[in-house]
Amino acid sequence: MDHFPTNWGRPRNDAYDAYGTYPIAQRPQNNPKDAFSAGVQHTQQPIVTGTSVLAIKYKDGIMMAADNLASYGSLARFKDIQRLHAVGNNTMIGAGGDMSDFQYIQNMLDELMIDEFTAQDGLALGPAEIHEYLSQVLYARRTKMNPLWNSILVGGFKDGQRFLAYVDLLGTTYSASTLATGYGSYIAQPLLRKAVEGREDVITEAEALEIIETSMRVLYYRDARSLNKFQVATITAEGAKISESKSLDTTWSFAEGIRGYGAQTQ
Amino acid sequence: MFRNTYDSDNTVFSPQGRLHQVEYALEAVKQGSAAVGLRSKTHSVLLALKRSTGELASYQQKMFRIDDHVGIAIAGLTSDARVLSNFMRQQAMSSKMVFNRPIPVNRLVSSIADKAQVNTQEYGRRPYGVGFLVIGQDNSGPHLYEFSPSGNSYEYYAMSIGARSQSAKTYLEKHYESFADSSLEDLVRHGLHALRETLQQDKELNVNNTSIGIVGPASVHEKAVPPAGPFRIVENEAVEPFLQTMIAKDTATGAGAVPPAAAAATGDEDVQMAG
Amino acid sequence: MTSIGTGYDLSASTYSPDGRIFQVEYANKAVENSGTAIGLKVKDGVVLAVEKLVHSKLLVPEANRRIQTIDRHIGLATAGLLADGRHLSNRARDEASNYRETYNSAPPLKAVADRLGLYVQAYTLYSSVRPFGISTILGAVDKDGPSLFVVEPSGVFFGYNGAAVGKGRQLAKTELEKLNLAELSTREAVTEAARIIYLVHEDAKEKEFELEMSWIGTESGGVHVHVPKDLLQEAEAAAKAALENFE
């Protein structure tokens, strides 16, 4: 029951006093619903964010790439952030979304791997187990209305098997031979599919790198939250490796001719 | 019974550094009927002797399935066993849920051993009065473990627990070197022979009093076992073909057609919890 | 042990008239009844070795470990009640993990030994619990280099260059004192540790035992792992040979 007579008989959306015509204490929907609601706040948006992660299957395993940028809104805030993280010898994760949440996840997984190591029974968590674990954690957090704001790719190679799967802040999972998060899922995914699907067992490492680099270049052209400085990871029978940061040659001369972008005034 | 100053409490060390309450709990395990476990390169098996309190009573359950890949045989307080096996099932389910991985058998056994240890150190509790033989298979193949109320767990090639288990142990120690390369049928036969050693004079193994637990690919005597060879309990008529494979003892006890063991087993019942 | 039966030895929360806590002393007895464990802190690492008494030939060799891993770089060997050892190693893992969570860096061994000492001490205060029936050797290579500690049932802990607990500790200590530990390499220490364990086992020759050894050092990549099989066998062979010369 709404005990404010001034609210009676109004359309629901009108109950919102857009112009602040009431004294603060009486303003509709301005009263805290419970005494602690201001004290307990859950994540409602990401703050410092990373953009796309790309990953494909190829002959020898999985290749994954992500750039080194962490944005603060539209500001390119941190340019040396690593968004790929090896979990043990057989697994690599790459994340877009909130970077502090991602760092939390990294710590959590590192702790988990130490627990596994200290059991000293020769059993180690592989990519499939890590992915399942992540999906359970992310889903549990979202059901508490307090998500870890990431979309994550999990790639791995264990016992001769490639593994590649996706999990996000909702706990949604899927698997495919090419995956991309964020902006990359619109821009790069079609390119990756065209280059990889049906050829997973023939693509060499050099070829895979070319496919990844082509897509990273397109993303750098198209995605305003991206950076031409990125790392590439491979997970093969030899283990999980992350490259040094690298950049690609790009051409921007065409921009001169774009109205509102180049130097022209008209 | 003897009595001494240091045996009424599990939080008291004797001057020799012993824990009498724990030692008494180990005695409770010996009150239960025997269970035997063996392992080859491909299979682990359990064999247990079931008791019944009389002709009108059913036989006491001796084996419990924990998960597809793990099962246990018990000796001692059945109610304690039910609590612990429930806990094991929860651990197994949790591993499946969180990692989508069947729980490694050694970690499952350690988890109940760690629980049991606490009951040997804190006031107001008593140690569990039950011992387990645990069989299971994981990435590293089939395994056999013993869990005991002291909070210890060990991995064995073969082991026996419960009443007169020493006789079974003697049999196992004599033959264990051949178990690794045994077929499932030979392994079960060895197990039955070992279990037979724990019987009282006039008793015999039969379809009513014998349980067999198996992990590993199916035997020729089994039907409808999935290829992964999950844990299953073979009981009643299904035990018959395995019993047939036994070789009669060449002793003069006349192990021919002796009447079934259902006859009153006085002073031989499983220890029951009061109430 | 003149106070046996006087009633002052039934609880960890009771002093005897001369100020002793008998329950803690009895816990030490439990330690003395078990196989020997030793630890060597040397130039570039730490070696732990345990005389594991084998109570049945049906046991699977190497499967039933007495040396635990606490963190990547920390190992723990116990002498005494095996189940208590597992309890304490679980606690040590929790402490190490808690340190990592708080400081985001690998725990120095002293921090873990310190916290473990506090934990063990708490079990000497109350009648509602009994003390731990184990002595614990902790070994690690942390940011300050190799390090070795022993935590006793009373909760006290000391740092050592060479440590021995359990039944044969006196003889083992004498042998450890003969070594120039600061000059030894980890690999050499493995051989010496094997020799000492074989030597102290001479007193209980009729009992079967298994030598279990682990190390932390540059050769193990700075992590605590069991000594590789070939090196273990080599060390065992050398130990047996040395034993014959000794006699």
Side-chain angles (χ1 to χ4, degrees):
Chain A
M1 179 69 190
D2 186 350
H3 296 283
F4 292 99
T6 48
N7 294 335
W8 295 351
R10 289 169 181 267
R12 194 188 294 179
N13 62 349
D14 202 28
Y16 171 57
D17 179 31
Y19 303 102
T21 56
Y22 298 91
I24 288 173
Q26 289 172 29
R27 247 172 240 172
Q29 298 188 351
N30 215 15
N31 312 307
K33 285 197 177 60
D34 72 71
F36 300 104
S37 66
V40 181
Q41 289 194 353
H42 291 167
T43 307
Q44 291 174 42
Q45 57 175 345
I47 309 294
V48 176
T49 60
T51 184
S52 326
V53 186
L54 310 181
I56 59 172
K57 283 187 183 173
Y58 71 102
K59 189 162 67 76
D60 308 320
I62 304 292
M63 187 175 283
M64 195 180 279
D67 70 21
N68 291 118
L69 179 66
S71 307
Y72 181 66
S74 59
L75 173 70
R77 183 66 184 81
F78 303 102
K79 297 185 178 181
D80 53 358
I81 296 299
Q82 190 178 103
R83 296 198 289 123
L84 301 171
H85 180 67
V87 184
N89 249 337
N90 307 312
T91 312
M92 183 75 63
I93 62 171
D98 193 278
M99 285 298 104
S100 65
D101 281 355
F102 180 51
Q103 286 169 355
Y104 170 80
I105 287 171
Q106 289 176 48
N107 286 332
M108 193 176 64
L109 291 176
D110 288 349
E111 193 62 47
L112 182 69
M113 293 313 275
I114 289 174
D115 286 352
E116 284 287 307
F117 175 80
T118 58
Q120 285 283 301
D121 51 13
L123 302 165
L125 292 172
E129 286 88 15
I130 303 240
H131 177 255
E132 180 72 25
Y133 178 73
L134 275 178
S135 73
Q136 293 292 343
V137 170
L138 293 178
Y139 179 71
R141 285 291 294 261
R142 95 93 193 253
T143 57
K144 295 189 177 82
M145 299 299 282
N146 192 17
L148 292 165
W149 212 287
N150 296 106
S151 42
I152 300 171
L153 298 188
V154 181
F157 192 90
K158 196 183 178 202
D159 304 328
Q161 294 283 326
R162 292 171 298 197
F163 180 91
L164 181 58
Y166 168 98
V167 58
D168 67 15
L169 71 165
L170 302 175
T172 310
T173 62
Y174 47 86
S175 185
S177 51
T178 73
L179 286 175
T181 73
Y183 205 75
S185 65
Y186 303 106
I187 299 296
Q189 182 69 309
L191 304 172
L192 296 174
R193 282 181 183 153
K194 198 171 172 193
V196 173
E197 277 184 356
R199 302 182 56 241
E200 294 88 350
D201 298 326
V202 290
I203 297 172
T204 63
E205 184 160 329
E207 209 183 333
L209 186 61
E210 203 181 309
I211 295 167
I212 288 285
E213 286 186 343
T214 306
S215 298
M216 289 303 280
R217 183 183 283 110
V218 172
L219 277 173
Y220 179 53
Y221 278 131
R222 298 283 178 181
D223 178 2
R225 302 287 164 267
S226 67
L227 188 67
N228 189 11
K229 181 182 169 197
F230 63 96
Q231 286 167 289
V232 178
T234 54
I235 314 96
T236 61
E238 270 77 62
K241 296 192 192 76
I242 304 177
S243 76
E244 292 294 306
S245 291
K246 52 169 106 179
S247 52
L248 297 166
D249 295 329
T250 49
T251 318
W252 293 93
S253 54
F254 64 89
E256 287 292 318
I258 296 174
R259 185 188 297 260
Y261 197 100
Q264 75 276 46
T265 50
Q266 189 57 40
Chain B
M1 282 299 276
F2 309 106
R3 191 153 168 91
N4 74 52
T5 326
Y6 303 96
D7 74 346
S8 57
D9 219 328
N10 59 9
T11 58
V12 175
F13 275 112
S14 81
Q16 292 74 40
R18 288 165 59 183
L19 295 167
H20 288 278
Q21 271 298 308
V22 173
E23 290 174 18
Y24 297 169
L26 295 172
E27 292 299 315
V29 177
K30 291 184 196 159
Q31 301 280 337
S33 64
V36 173
L38 307 85
R39 154 194 140 177
S40 72
K41 280 179 185 158
T42 52
H43 292 82
S44 288
V45 299
L46 293 171
L47 302 100
L49 185 64
K50 290 183 286 186
R51 283 173 181 162
S52 97
T53 48
E55 285 194 53
L56 295 177
S58 67
Y59 283 82
Q60 182 76 258
Q61 188 183 358
K62 290 285 284 179
M63 285 183 197
F64 297 85
R65 175 179 165 278
I66 302 301
D67 197 348
D68 279 343
H69 67 302
V70 187
I72 61 170
I74 64 159
L77 301 180
T78 307
S79 41
D80 282 17
R82 286 169 49 73
V83 169
L84 283 167
S85 62
N86 215 349
F87 178 76
M88 291 170 87
R89 286 176 178 159
Q90 283 170 12
Q91 295 291 307
M93 285 303 107
S94 147
S95 179
K96 265 193 181 168
M97 161 114 183
V98 178
F99 296 115
N100 191 19
R101 164 177 82 171
I103 191 165
V105 189
N106 64 320
R107 295 189 195 176
L108 184 60
V109 177
S110 296
S111 74
I112 51 166
D114 292 348
K115 249 175 108 66
Q117 190 278 339
V118 177
N119 286 22
T120 71
Q121 199 171 19
E122 295 182 3
Y123 179 79
R125 301 162 181 258
R126 61 161 172 80
Y128 289 109
V130 70
F132 288 178
L133 290 177
V134 183
I135 59 167
Q137 53 183 0
D138 51 32
N139 288 342
S140 47
H143 297 282
L144 165 70
Y145 293 90
E146 183 204 4
F147 154 80
S148 74
S150 58
N152 288 325
S153 62
Y154 296 102
E155 181 167 10
Y156 289 100
Y157 291 121
M159 198 15 74
S160 62
I161 56 172
R164 286 180 293 283
S165 57
Q166 188 52 50
S167 324
K169 225 171 280 171
T170 309
Y171 177 93
L172 295 171
E173 280 172 3
K174 210 161 126 194
H175 294 98
Y176 78 99
E177 275 154 337
S178 68
F179 294 166
D181 296 309
S182 285
S183 67
L184 173 56
E185 290 74 23
D186 285 346
L187 205 60
V188 171
R189 187 161 45 83
H190 276 302
L192 290 169
H193 285 171
L195 191 63
R196 182 170 61 186
E197 300 291 325
T198 73
L199 290 170
Q200 284 175 316
Q201 275 284 305
D202 55 336
K203 300 285 174 55
E204 216 190 29
L205 296 178
N206 59 37
V207 294
N208 292 321
N209 68 6
T210 311
S211 277
I212 305 175
I214 304 173
V215 285
S219 152
V220 290
H221 304 311
E222 292 181 289
K223 290 190 197 78
V225 175
F231 177 80
R232 64 267 186 196
I233 299 170
V234 180
E235 279 180 308
N236 303 327
E237 304 82 63
V239 174
E240 186 57 34
F242 290 103
L243 290 175
Q244 293 294 337
T245 66
M246 286 173 71
I247 300 162
K249 272 204 220 178
D250 48 4
T251 47
T253 47
V258 179
T266 46
D268 201 23
E269 293 84 20
D270 264 326
V271 175
Q272 299 293 323
M273 299 282 287
Chain C
M1 293 294 170
T2 48
S3 290
I4 292 175
T6 57
Y8 292 112
D9 64 346
L10 288 172
S11 163
S13 66
T14 309
Y15 283 110
S16 75
D18 51 353
R20 292 158 67 178
I21 301 170
F22 279 99
Q23 274 297 308
V24 174
E25 294 182 19
Y26 295 169
N28 277 303
K29 287 278 181 213
V31 178
E32 284 170 28
N33 294 337
S34 94
T36 314
I38 60 171
L40 289 77
K41 185 184 107 174
V42 293
K43 193 172 58 182
D44 56 353
V46 171
V47 173
L48 301 176
V50 168
E51 170 205 15
K52 194 164 68 186
L53 299 171
V54 177
H55 61 266
S56 164
K57 61 180 179 181
L58 295 171
L59 282 165
V60 178
E62 291 168 41
N64 304 291
R65 293 267 160 86
R66 277 269 303 273
I67 300 179
Q68 307 278 343
T69 302
I70 300 309
D71 198 322
R72 284 193 199 284
H73 61 302
I74 303 178
L76 176 152
T78 58
L81 306 179
L82 192 56
D84 283 19
R86 286 191 50 86
H87 178 144
L88 208 59
S89 64
N90 284 335
R91 178 66 185 199
R93 283 182 194 130
D94 288 349
E95 294 291 2
S97 147
N98 174 271
Y99 187 99
R100 274 185 188 272
E101 220 166 88
T102 311
Y103 301 108
N104 196 209
S105 62
L109 186 60
K110 187 163 186 295
V112 176
D114 185 85
R115 293 183 184 194
L116 218 51
L118 292 174
Y119 186 74
V120 171
Q121 192 272 153
Y123 281 74
T124 68
L125 284 173
Y126 309 99
S127 63
S128 56
V129 289
R130 62 166 171 81
F132 281 93
I134 44 163
S135 276
T136 309
I137 304 181
L138 287 154
V141 176
D142 56 30
K143 65 180 189 336
D144 302 318
S147 134
L148 190 70
F149 286 89
V150 173
V151 183
E152 292 172 22
S154 62
V156 301
F157 73 99
F158 292 114
Y160 287 88
N161 289 314
V165 295
K167 192 180 282 169
R169 69 189 181 288
Q170 285 306 346
L171 179 55
K173 274 180 186 166
T174 316
E175 287 299 311
L176 285 167
E177 280 164 11
K178 290 181 194 161
L179 300 173
N180 189 359
L181 290 164
E183 300 293 315
L184 235 49
S185 75
T186 314
R187 191 170 270 270
E188 287 162 345
V190 166
T191 319
E192 294 297 339
R195 184 180 61 76
I196 293 172
I197 291 292
Y198 268 85
L199 185 65
V200 300
H201 184 71
E202 280 294 282
D203 284 343
K205 226 175 182 172
E206 69 287 352
K207 285 186 190 155
E208 285 287 307
F209 87 107
E210 188 183 317
L211 172 65
E212 186 180 338
M213 278 204 288
S214 71
W215 62 352
I216 315 136
T218 37
E219 283 198 72
S220 76
V223 296
H224 176 255
V225 287
H226 279 78
V227 170
K229 218 169 186 175
D230 50 346
L231 181 57
L232 183 72
Q233 281 163 352
E234 201 178 295
E236 279 189 304
K240 282 174 195 160
L243 211 57
E244 266 156 36
N245 295 335
F246 190 81
E247 277 161 355

